[in-house]
Amino acid sequence: MREPQDRYECRAYAKINLGLDVLGRLPNGYHKVKMVMQTVDIYDVLTFEREDSGIVITTDSGELPTDKDNLIYKAAGLLLERYHITEGVRIHLQKNIPIAAGMAGGSTDAAAALKGVSRLFGLDLNEEELKELGVQVGADVPYCVMGGTALAEGIGEKLTVLPPIPECFLLVAKPDINVSTKYVYEHLDALSSYAHPDIDGMVQAIADGSLQGVIDRLGNVLEGVTVSAYPIIDTIKRRMLALGAAGSLMSGSGPTVFGIFTEEEKAKNAFERLQTEQLAKQVFLTNFWDPGKQRDKQ
Ligand code: ATP
């Protein structure tokens, strides 16, 4: 047991998918996936304080529920119940990650809530215990507990740690539309066939330390479905490539688009151009985030 704490603050990092394949549909409605996940340096900040009872959530975001529909509430509630904790918790969420964007914003907040509540009450749960609780909140939560570069299989919960990808510059743009993950998967299911990205090849390229090998294999099976409904995604992709991105892709079920740049000057210029052109509502110039290297900075 660690000492319980009165207050705890932590960051919850967003992810992108460098590769996303869907291998089939399971009887329970979940999809069997094969994805290359990468944490990026865009994060929410969560602050935890002990309360006499109950779960109170506050946030600076006007768009999110603060009741049981918030994934933070689900995660905190699950942990309090599992460990028979009768005290409560107050959690404040400073939201920076675009919402309903394909960046696992809700899942990463849930992962942070598991860590935060565990710390607050001195439970000292290890990563495996947090992941096991996390999968009960959402398929991407175990990955968010861990972060970094990883291959995710099963429904997203079977994780293999991959080595960090060589440094590059990342442009992330979220157009002013909200995409329903359910809609995208339903439309994918209706297709008779689709081209599968080369996930195994990407994993090998990562093992070889080849950024170009990763860029050559960027692929997301959901992209075609979302682009058909929202052509702006393709417009942003093409704009990033025209501005010098070595590769560009939609993340998750969208609508967020990212561009990978090998030259900082080009990335900065593209960032400024995308901001003035207003193709996207939110634009970030960022990097991949490696928890092993940067955990101490938190
Ligand atoms: P994924 O990449 O896992 O598909 P996403 O980035 O597309 O996730 P989220 O930002 O996680 O989507 O939000 C999806 C929905 O979940 C939103 O409509 C939102 O109302 C709900 N939600 C519940 N809790 C949260 C939270 N803490 N942060 C963001 N969204 C939340």
Side-chain angles (χ1 to χ4, degrees), residues 143-166:
Y143 164 71
C144 293
V145 166
M146 181 177 97
T149 310
L151 174 69
E153 296 172 283
I155 59 165
E157 91 296 8
K158 286 194 187 119
L159 298 166
T160 309
V161 178
L162 300 174
I165 296 173

Side-chain angles (χ1 to χ4, degrees), residues 33-186:
V33 292
K34 192 164 177 179
M35 313 186 283
V36 175
M37 320 285 278
Q38 175 62 53
T39 308
V40 299
D41 198 5
I42 300 171
Y43 54 84
D44 295 342
V45 180
L46 287 88
T47 314
F48 303 84
E49 287 172 284
R50 296 162 73 125
E51 281 278 314
D52 289 341
S53 65
I55 300 170
V56 180
I57 297 177
T58 56
T59 177
D60 62 355
S61 162
E63 295 174 53
L64 289 175
T66 52
D67 60 6
K68 59 175 177 28
D69 288 334
N70 196 306
L71 293 181
I72 294 174
Y73 192 107
K74 284 189 187 150
L78 182 68
L79 199 140
L80 294 177
E81 193 188 302
R82 172 73 68 90
Y83 291 93
H84 310 291
I85 294 169
T86 50
E87 278 175 75
V89 59
R90 172 179 289 270
I91 306 171
H92 181 73
L93 167 68
Q94 183 194 312
K95 192 78 194 166
N96 304 315
I97 303 171
I99 296 166
M103 299 191 79
S107 303
T108 195
D109 289 348
L114 292 173
K115 287 183 201 170
V117 177
S118 158
R119 273 287 189 98
L120 216 54
F121 294 101
L123 297 175
D124 205 19
L125 302 182
N126 65 32
E127 198 170 279
E128 281 317 306
E129 290 167 315
L130 292 170
K131 283 178 176 167
E132 184 266 316
L133 284 166
V135 74
Q136 296 173 52
V137 181
D140 284 347
V141 181
Y143 164 71
C144 293
V145 166
M146 181 177 97
T149 310
L151 174 69
E153 296 172 283
I155 59 165
E157 91 296 8
K158 286 194 187 119
L159 298 166
T160 309
V161 178
L162 300 174
I165 296 173
E167 279 183 27
C168 56
F169 306 92
L170 192 70
L171 197 57
V172 172
K174 154 101 183 353
D176 193 11
I177 45 175
N178 286 334
V179 171
S180 147
T181 304
K182 192 167 170 273
Y183 167 93
V184 176
Y185 274 97
E186 275 172 9

Side-chain angles (χ1 to χ4, degrees), residues 100-102 173-180 183-184 220 222-241 248-259 274 279-280:
K174 154 101 183 353
D176 193 11
I177 45 175
N178 286 334
V179 171
S180 147
Y183 167 93
V184 176
N220 179 349
L222 303 177
E223 195 178 69
V225 175
T226 315
V227 166
S228 304
Y230 304 103
I232 182 73
I233 293 165
D234 198 46
T235 308
I236 296 174
K237 272 188 72 171
R238 281 190 283 110
R239 193 71 190 114
M240 284 193 188
L241 292 169
S248 178
L249 191 73
M250 183 186 85
S251 181
S253 50
T256 300
V257 176
F258 64 86
L274 276 183
L279 287 174

